[in-house]
Amino acid sequence: MSDKLLLVDDEADVQYSFRRIFDSPEVEIATANSGEEALKTIPKLKPDLVLMDVRMGGMTGLETLRKLRATDARLPVIMMTAYGTTQTAIEAMKLGAYDYLLKPFDVPKLKEIVHNALKAARDMKRVVSYEPLLESEDYDIGIVGRSQAMQQVFKLVGQLASSDATALITGESGTGKELVARAIYHHSRRSDKPFLAINCAAIPENLLESELFGHEKGAFTGATVQRIGKFEQCNGGTIFLDEIGDMSLPTQTKILRVLQNGSFERVGGNQPVKVNVRVIAATNKPLEKAVAEKQFREDLFYRLNVVRVQMPPLRDRRDDIRLLVNYFLRKFAQVQKQQPKSISQSALEALERYHWPGNVRELENVMQRAIVVAKGDAILENDLPPEVTRGSTTPVALPTGTIAHTVAAAEPTEISSIAKSLFHWARQDPKRKIIPTVERELIIAALAETAGNQVQASKLLGITRATLRKRVEKFGIKQELSIS
C-alpha cells in the first residue's frame, strides 16, 4: 500500500514541486490550501504524514499543529518556512512537530526526512500482537511463538503494558527486542502518545547527548539554533533506548536524572526541562559485567532493571521455527501480493537443525532469500543458503563429548557462530570452562579420528607430539582411549 502525504500550503508552485519530487506509485499526495481545510481533510484521508507551511492565510501553521496534536499525537507533522525564523521553528518543535524545513528545499534532505518520518509513523501505528496465534491476520508484524520461553515473554509484556514501570529488555542480537518494546507501548496507556526508538550505538558519542536532550544555540561549533531533543519531543509518550550498553558514562548520568527527577538540561543550557516519558531500554551486552568493570553506572542499571524481559535465542525455542517460517511466508507473500509459497519437509528439518547465531532476524533473511531463489511454488532444501544446509548436518551441540566434533567439522566461516554458542553454554553454569573443555574434547576426537596414533593426532591438532602427551596426561585421557 502507498504512503499518504498531506501537503498543507497555499502556494500552487510548492504543491506542484512536491508532486514532482514525490512522483511515485509508493506515495500518494493530497493537498490542502489552509489549516482549516487540513483539519477537515485529515479525518477522511487519514494521512501517514503531514507537511505544513508555517505562514498561511487564515489559521497559522502553528495553530493548526496545536489542534492536530490534541486530536492525534502520533501523526508526524513536518513544518516548513521560507522566512528562516528560528524562534518559530523552535516553537513548532516544542508543540510536537517531527521536524522543520527551510524553503527553498534541499531535495535529498527533504526525501530523507520524509522517509524517516514515514518510518516513525509506521512504528507508532503498527499493531504488535503478543498473542501467539499465527492464524490471526489482523496485524502486519507480530511476536510469534508458542514455546514456554516465549509464553513467559508474553506474560511480562501484558504486565508491563498495564503499568508505567521502566523495563530492560535483554538478549542476543536479532531476538526481537525492539518488537517487544513496541508491543509494550502499543498496549500501554500511552499508546495515543509518541513512541521514539533511538539506537544508542548508531549515533556518534559526541552527538548522542544532543540528540536525546537537545542543545542551546552556541552550545558547540555548528549549533546555530536551539534544538529540541527526543525526550522533549516524546513528552507524555514512550522512548526506546536500544543498545544502551554502548552509552557513554556522562550521557548515562543524564538518563539517570531523567528517571529520578523527570528533568534534564539541554546541552549548553542551565534551565531544567521537565518531561514525563516512559523509558524502555534494551541491550545485547551483559550489563552486570559492565557494572563490575565500571563501564556502566550501577545506580542507572538498577533504575532500568525494574522489570527484566529476557529474550530467548532462537536455538532455545526450536519448536517455534515452523510457526516463524509460516509467518514469514505469509508476510512476504503479502508484500509481493502473491500466494504464499509452500516449503518442503526436508527444508523445514534443515531449518530446525541449524543453530541460528543471528536468531529470528537471520531466519527472516534466510526466508526472504529462499522465496527469491525458489524456482517453483515450493521452497526446497537446495533453495536455502549453504551455511544453513551445511550447518544443519552438524548442529552445535554443547554437552561433553560433542563440542570437539562440532568444531572439527565446522568451516572457518562457522567458527564465530560456534564461539557464540560456547559462550551461551558457559553462561548457563559458572563452573563450566570453555577452553579446557574444548581442548580436552578436541584431543579425544583427534585420537579417535587417527585410531589412537599420537603422531597423526598431533599433526591434525597442529601441536607437537610432546605437547599432546602432556595434554593427554593432564586430562587423564589414557584411561579412556588406548594410546599407541
Side-chain angles (χ1 to χ4, degrees):
M1 295 179 64
S2 59
D3 293 313
K4 295 181 180 180
L5 273 63
L6 175 63
L7 173 63
V8 188
D9 198 302
D10 56 3
E11 297 183 22
D13 56 342
V14 173
Q15 295 181 6
Y16 174 76
S17 297
F18 267 78
R19 292 188 184 279
R20 290 287 302 274
I21 293 170
F22 295 101
D23 183 14
S24 168
E26 287 76 28
V27 178
E28 176 185 339
I29 293 186
T31 59
N33 294 313
S34 65
E36 292 86 349
E37 184 180 350
L39 292 176
K40 293 178 181 179
T41 302
I42 287 173
K44 302 175 184 177
L45 180 66
K46 296 182 179 179
D48 301 297
L49 173 64
V50 175
L51 297 104
M52 183 161 54
D53 193 18
V54 172
R55 296 191 181 185
M56 298 178 292
M59 186 183 297
T60 68
L62 291 180
E63 292 173 351
T64 308
L65 174 62
R66 186 179 288 107
K67 291 182 178 295
L68 286 178
R69 295 290 291 176
T71 56
D72 187 356
R74 298 187 299 176
L75 176 62
V77 180
I78 297 175
M79 302 301 295
M80 306 177 295
T81 177
Y83 302 96
T85 53
T86 56
Q87 192 59 42
T88 302
I90 292 169
E91 185 63 26
M93 297 301 288
K94 286 184 177 180
L95 288 173
Y98 178 84
D99 210 330
Y100 68 91
L101 291 168
L102 296 177
K103 298 178 182 178
F105 302 116
D106 180 329
V107 174
K109 182 179 180 181
L110 170 64
K111 288 184 174 181
E112 180 184 1
I113 292 175
V114 168
H115 172 78
N116 293 337
L118 288 171
K119 182 180 183 301
R122 286 191 291 269
D123 285 344
M124 283 189 279
K125 292 181 179 179
R126 185 175 293 153
V127 177
V128 182
S129 174
Y130 57 84
E131 291 292 331
L133 300 175
L134 188 61
E135 292 76 16
S136 177
E137 297 180 358
D138 60 349
Y139 57 89
D140 295 328
I141 189 169
I143 309 173
V144 177
R146 292 179 182 149
S147 62
Q148 185 175 358
M150 288 305 296
Q151 290 297 322
Q152 183 62 29
V153 170
F154 301 149
K155 292 177 184 178
L156 286 173
V157 168
Q159 292 166 344
L160 279 165
S162 63
S163 75
D164 277 342
T166 304
L168 178 63
I169 308 172
T170 56
E172 299 176 9
S173 295
T175 50
K177 296 187 289 295
E178 183 173 348
L179 194 63
V180 168
R182 284 196 266 112
I184 295 170
Y185 155 75
H186 178 79
H187 294 279
S188 73
R189 293 189 291 263
R190 297 174 182 257
S191 60
D192 60 337
K193 300 298 182 181
F195 173 88
L196 292 178
I198 309 296
N199 189 325
C200 301
I203 302 174
E205 183 178 330
N206 60 332
L207 297 179
L208 180 59
E209 187 175 353
S210 173
E211 185 73 16
L212 292 173
F213 305 109
H215 61 253
E216 301 290 352
K217 180 179 179 180
F220 50 82
T221 303
T224 56
V225 296
Q226 185 190 64
R227 179 178 176 82
I228 305 302
K230 299 301 184 185
F231 269 92
E232 280 185 85
Q233 294 179 37
C234 204
N235 190 24
T238 303
I239 193 165
F240 174 55
L241 301 176
D242 198 8
E243 305 300 350
I244 197 169
D246 294 302
M247 185 180 288
S248 66
L249 289 171
T251 308
Q252 291 177 31
T253 302
K254 275 205 162 185
I255 295 291
L256 178 64
R257 182 179 178 185
V258 174
L259 291 174
Q260 290 177 330
N261 306 324
S263 67
F264 61 88
E265 295 172 0
R266 301 189 191 100
V267 177
N270 52 22
Q271 295 296 323
V273 178
K274 297 287 291 184
V275 291
N276 177 15
V277 177
R278 182 185 193 174
V279 175
I280 301 176
T283 181
N284 61 2
K285 294 185 175 180
L287 288 188
E288 291 87 347
K289 181 180 178 182
V291 169
E293 295 174 353
K294 307 297 183 183
Q295 296 176 354
F296 198 87
R297 289 187 63 113
E298 184 177 16
D299 45 6
L300 176 59
F301 170 71
Y302 289 118
R303 280 281 179 178
L304 294 172
N305 196 35
V306 176
V307 179
R308 173 83 71 98
V309 181
Q310 176 65 40
M311 295 299 296
L314 186 54
R315 61 181 172 273
D316 288 350
R317 43 180 293 227
R318 295 181 185 275
D319 292 346
D320 291 335
I321 289 178
R322 295 198 175 211
L323 289 175
L324 288 162
V325 167
N326 190 14
Y327 171 77
F328 289 130
L329 288 174
R330 290 189 183 185
K331 173 185 174 181
F332 292 126
Q334 290 175 354
V335 171
Q336 298 173 0
K337 298 180 180 180
Q338 298 175 349
Q339 286 296 318
K341 289 182 180 291
S342 58
I343 185 168
S344 69
Q345 182 66 23
S346 61
L348 272 175
E349 291 173 355
L351 293 171
E352 289 177 329
R353 290 193 298 266
Y354 184 55
H355 51 280
W356 298 111
N359 294 296
V360 178
R361 185 185 295 124
E362 183 184 8
L363 175 59
E364 181 177 9
N365 293 337
V366 166
M367 293 308 302
Q368 187 172 19
R369 176 193 183 276
I371 290 171
V372 171
V373 302
K375 298 177 178 63
D377 294 334
I379 295 173
L380 308 178
E381 187 173 359
N382 290 338
D383 297 323
L384 302 177
E387 62 269 19
V388 173
T389 54
R390 184 174 60 239
S392 67
T393 58
T394 55
V396 175
L398 294 176
T400 301
T402 60
I403 296 176
H405 294 281
T406 300
V407 176
E411 296 289 333
T413 55
E414 295 178 298
I415 297 299
S416 61
S417 299
I418 293 172
K420 291 180 181 179
S421 296
L422 287 168
F423 296 149
H424 175 74
W425 169 78
R427 290 191 188 105
Q428 294 175 343
D429 188 344
K431 295 180 180 179
R432 292 175 175 174
K433 305 299 179 185
I434 294 175
I435 293 178
T437 303
V438 172
E439 186 178 14
R440 181 179 187 277
E441 294 303 315
L442 280 171
I443 291 172
I444 293 175
L447 290 168
E449 182 73 18
T450 59
N453 188 309
Q454 290 189 358
V455 175
Q456 293 180 13
S458 61
K459 289 181 179 180
L460 190 62
L461 292 167
I463 58 178
T464 66
R465 185 179 182 183
T467 301
L468 177 61
R469 283 178 175 175
K470 291 178 181 178
R471 295 294 187 271
V472 166
E473 184 177 350
K474 174 183 176 181
F475 294 122
I477 298 176
K478 282 183 178 180
Q479 300 174 3
E480 302 181 25
L481 291 175
S482 175
I483 308 298
S484 58

